[in-house]
Amino acid sequence: MFGRRGEVERHEPVLSARGGGADLRLTADDRPTLGAAPMARERSSGGGAKAKKGSSAGAAKGSSRGNATGTARGGSGGRRRRSPKRGLLTRLFYWTVVLGIWGVIALGGLIAYEASQLPPIQNLAIPERPPTVIIEGADGKAIATRGEMGGASVPLRALPPYLPQAFVAIEDRRFYSHHGLDPIGLARAVFVNLTRGRLREGGSTLTQQLAKNLFLTQERTLSRKVQELILSIWLETKYSKNEILELYMNRVYFGAGAYGVEAAAQRYFGKSARQVTLSEAAMLAGLVKSPSALAPTRNLEGAQQRAEVVLAAMEDAGFITPEMQKTALARPAVLVKSQVPDSFGYVADWVMEQLKTLIGPIEHDVVVQTTIDPALQATADKALKDALAKSGKKLGVEQGAIVLMDTDGGVRALVGGRSYEESQYNRAVTARRQPGSSFKPFVYLTAMERGLTPETVREDAPIQLKGWKPENFSREYRGAVDLKTALALSLNTVAVRLALEVGPPEVVKTAHRLGIASKLEPNASIALGTSEVSVLEMASAYAPFANGGIGVTPHVIARVRDKTGKMLFSYAEPSRGVVVAPPHVAMMNRMMQDVLITGTARRADLPGWPAAGKTGTSQDYRDAWFVAYTGRFVTAVWIGNDDSSPTRKAGGSGLPVEIWSQVMKAAHKDMPPVALPGAGSYLPPGVTPPGDVPEEPVVTGGPQAAPAAPRPGLDNWLIDKLFGRS
């Protein structure tokens, strides 16, 4: 069992010469083991082991030596044991290959799935450019353009060669050598983004950018990126490089509402893309990286700095010489002075808000003719800018708004702020501000409709309502005063007494009937204009005083045509009927004329024209208004601050009156004066006209049928009666 020095004896199986009952099955003794295992084999083998002791001893010795040798070499049978390092590399290589194969399969599956979400490739086509909306003034000349494509497509061959070269140099240097995907550019972008710790470069080729602009949304997701890659490869197989570059330049966004290189060149430089200089070309190419932030209309310095980067890239790519680069840097691109005021942007935005309601979805190019008079628009824009530049800082006023409309409600000029480029918020249409005393005519009209007259006397004295003590601007009180004097001098106590006398809810009904659409609070303070309204609403609500009592609907769109000239919409004035009876129009016009003659608007300057209106100043001088009219036009002016902070005592009788005078002088130039409706027809108490003066209709709510007009010649008869002329 044990050999020399405790060596384990090995028992080899022996086949018997007799084949009869031999058991040829292997036992545990037939397997080489170490340690205590031989003891177990000896016990299990019994006497058979002893019988073969002599013959097996030598075998055991040899086996023991063989085991020792094999164990020392790391394996049985004399095989060499592999190096641990070589085994690790083998396994690493194996799993790399396996994972690579699975990665390719997964990527293929992802591409197949995303491709299935796209329309069939054979059905894909370059979509038509989005529709353009050309907005014209009343004279038929274009004043603004809206839509996702502001300019016509320009063939690549018609452009100066350095213009497309600028895009290739800065956006995709290897454009003419790759097939839609630039691995080098992508790797560089990944490296830059990783080393900088944030996303700085995208690595997209021009073809990928075109695919995104033509077919996909702007969202940044893996799904969109895969679809972008698929579409870019399709574009590369279907179109030539020059065709792709031409499509790109005519579709990409350049900021400030300009889509396409032609629209951008016109917008920024006032010329066609065919005529841009090298420095202008560099600026255009530089804008596409961040068009909103770099648009030269709001960030000229940033656009010029980006153009320098483009010029350096062009020189590095060999597109221009160092001398050309030096010349372009010495003469950087600058903006052309716009031929139209930027306030046309407010008009265009308002037009676009209404257009879909009028004609439905815009699927093709359309031309919108407006009621805007470009000359009056320019005058109104200049009047506001000049006034704020001159006195705005001194008075603590930053903003203003103007609406000028004809007596039918057609808006002839609309300025929504001092600068559209700086702020697109439309303060003429969207903003709601307290009108102050310019709201008082609705209180007085309500009183006239309930039997009072301009000669009716009311008390101008302190009044207190549950702790509220409305005061006059001058802190002085006149005692008994007639209503026309109270309105001309804007006496607050009288207005509040009238509102309480007729009832605040009735005042609200009157204001809504005339054209105020905003919600009004029916309380006593409404007499002082504490409910907020828009400038557009105030102009339209004063229009019935100017036109004889007819309610108007403010509008700016006159006609809409498609590109073939087919009429899609034509404004037909919706009849609102008479909202103020002519005798009451006469009373109000007589009283509001006194505002400009002896009252708070004495500084109004419109020589030769009868005019009437009302100033307004809200609490703490937060808002200053002047709304006034002639028999031709109504103009409402507001100034104040967007955050409703108090001004430095800027009142309605100051800047608003100055602005109104400048605008209305231009509006009435070369027009023959006309009288205000009924202003000469108002009869003071005790004066009876000869014969058939129509009875005064009763207006209790909404529009009513138009009453008979006053007898012709009544104005002349009244003058004769009052002044003793025979």
Side-chain angles (χ1 to χ4, degrees), residues 497-526:
R497 282 188 166 89
L498 284 180
L500 292 173
E501 184 176 335
V502 301
E506 296 305 313
V507 176
V508 170
K509 290 179 183 178
T510 299
H512 283 161
R513 179 178 10 122
L514 267 66
I516 299 296
S518 297
K519 182 181 178 181
L520 303 173
E521 295 298 333
N523 51 43
S525 68
I526 196 172

Side-chain angles (χ1 to χ4, degrees), residues 169-431:
I170 195 62
E171 288 293 317
D172 190 357
R173 188 77 62 88
R174 284 170 290 277
F175 172 70
Y176 285 98
S177 61
H178 64 64
H179 299 286
L181 176 67
D182 181 12
I184 298 175
L186 184 61
R188 186 195 70 247
V190 171
F191 175 77
V192 170
N193 293 335
L194 290 177
T195 55
R196 301 281 179 90
R198 58 192 179 98
L199 188 62
R200 294 182 62 89
E201 295 193 21
S204 293
T205 63
L206 287 175
T207 313
Q208 287 176 274
Q209 295 179 43
L210 177 62
K212 176 178 65 178
N213 290 335
L214 291 178
F215 303 108
L216 303 172
T217 65
Q218 299 298 316
E219 62 178 342
R220 294 186 175 186
T221 63
L222 177 61
S223 174
R224 190 200 59 76
K225 203 67 179 175
V226 173
Q227 291 179 350
E228 178 186 296
L229 177 60
I230 296 169
L231 291 170
S232 65
I233 294 174
W234 173 78
L235 286 170
E236 290 276 352
T237 59
K238 188 172 179 64
Y239 298 95
S240 69
K241 288 289 187 179
N242 284 345
E243 288 173 328
I244 291 172
L245 184 57
E246 181 179 304
L247 278 169
Y248 174 85
M249 294 178 64
N250 283 293
R251 294 297 182 95
V252 71
Y253 183 53
F254 289 88
Y259 285 81
V261 70
E262 178 68 11
Q266 295 285 359
R267 176 69 181 85
Y268 298 131
F269 311 127
K271 63 177 72 172
S272 170
R274 296 172 171 87
Q275 301 167 334
V276 296
T277 64
L278 175 57
S279 59
E280 291 168 343
M283 179 176 285
L284 290 176
L287 296 179
V288 298
K289 177 183 180 182
S290 184
S292 297
L294 293 174
T297 49
R298 61 170 51 187
N299 186 7
L300 179 59
E301 183 179 353
Q304 290 174 336
Q305 291 175 351
R306 176 67 176 167
E308 294 177 4
V309 176
V310 176
L311 289 170
M314 294 179 72
E315 194 276 332
D316 184 61
F319 292 140
I320 60 174
T321 64
E323 290 73 20
M324 294 172 67
Q325 179 189 7
K326 184 177 180 180
T327 302
L329 289 174
R331 297 179 179 178
V334 294
L335 286 176
V336 67
K337 187 175 181 180
S338 177
Q339 300 301 310
V340 296
D342 68 346
S343 60
F344 277 121
Y346 296 114
V347 175
D349 289 349
W350 189 34
V351 166
M352 295 303 294
E353 289 174 10
Q354 303 173 63
L355 197 56
K356 189 174 181 180
T357 302
L358 297 178
I359 66 172
I362 303 172
E363 298 177 349
H364 305 287
D365 293 354
V366 296
V367 178
V368 181
Q369 187 170 11
T370 67
T371 59
I372 296 293
D373 182 327
L376 290 181
Q377 179 75 22
T379 298
D381 181 76
K382 184 177 186 301
L384 180 62
K385 283 181 167 62
D386 288 349
L388 294 179
K390 176 184 175 183
S391 305
K393 187 174 183 180
K394 178 179 66 177
L395 295 174
V397 176
E398 295 181 353
Q399 284 295 346
I402 303 172
V403 171
L404 185 156
M405 66 170 55
D406 59 36
T407 55
D408 294 326
V411 176
R412 309 302 299 278
L414 183 143
V415 181
R418 72 186 300 167
S419 172
Y420 181 80
E421 295 290 351
E422 294 177 2
S423 170
Q424 290 77 52
Y425 182 58
N426 194 330
R427 297 156 188 86
V429 176
T430 307

Side-chain angles (χ1 to χ4, degrees), residues 527-579:
L528 306 184
T530 54
S531 290
E532 296 178 338
V533 295
S534 73
V535 180
L536 180 67
E537 287 176 313
M538 289 296 286
S540 62
Y542 270 59
F545 300 132
N547 66 21
I550 308 300
V552 304
T553 301
H555 59 280
V556 70
I557 298 177
R559 284 170 290 278
V560 182
R561 309 183 307 274
D562 65 12
K563 59 184 178 182
T564 67
K566 178 183 177 182
M567 192 69 68
L568 303 178
F569 169 82
S570 180
Y571 180 77
E573 182 180 359
S575 177
R576 294 191 59 214
V578 176
V579 296

Side-chain angles (χ1 to χ4, degrees), residues 487-490 593-603 615 653:
L487 182 60
L489 300 179
S490 199
Q593 270 188 298
D594 282 352
V595 174
L596 278 70
I597 297 172
T598 62
T600 57
R602 292 187 301 274
R603 296 173 61 186
T615 58
S653 60

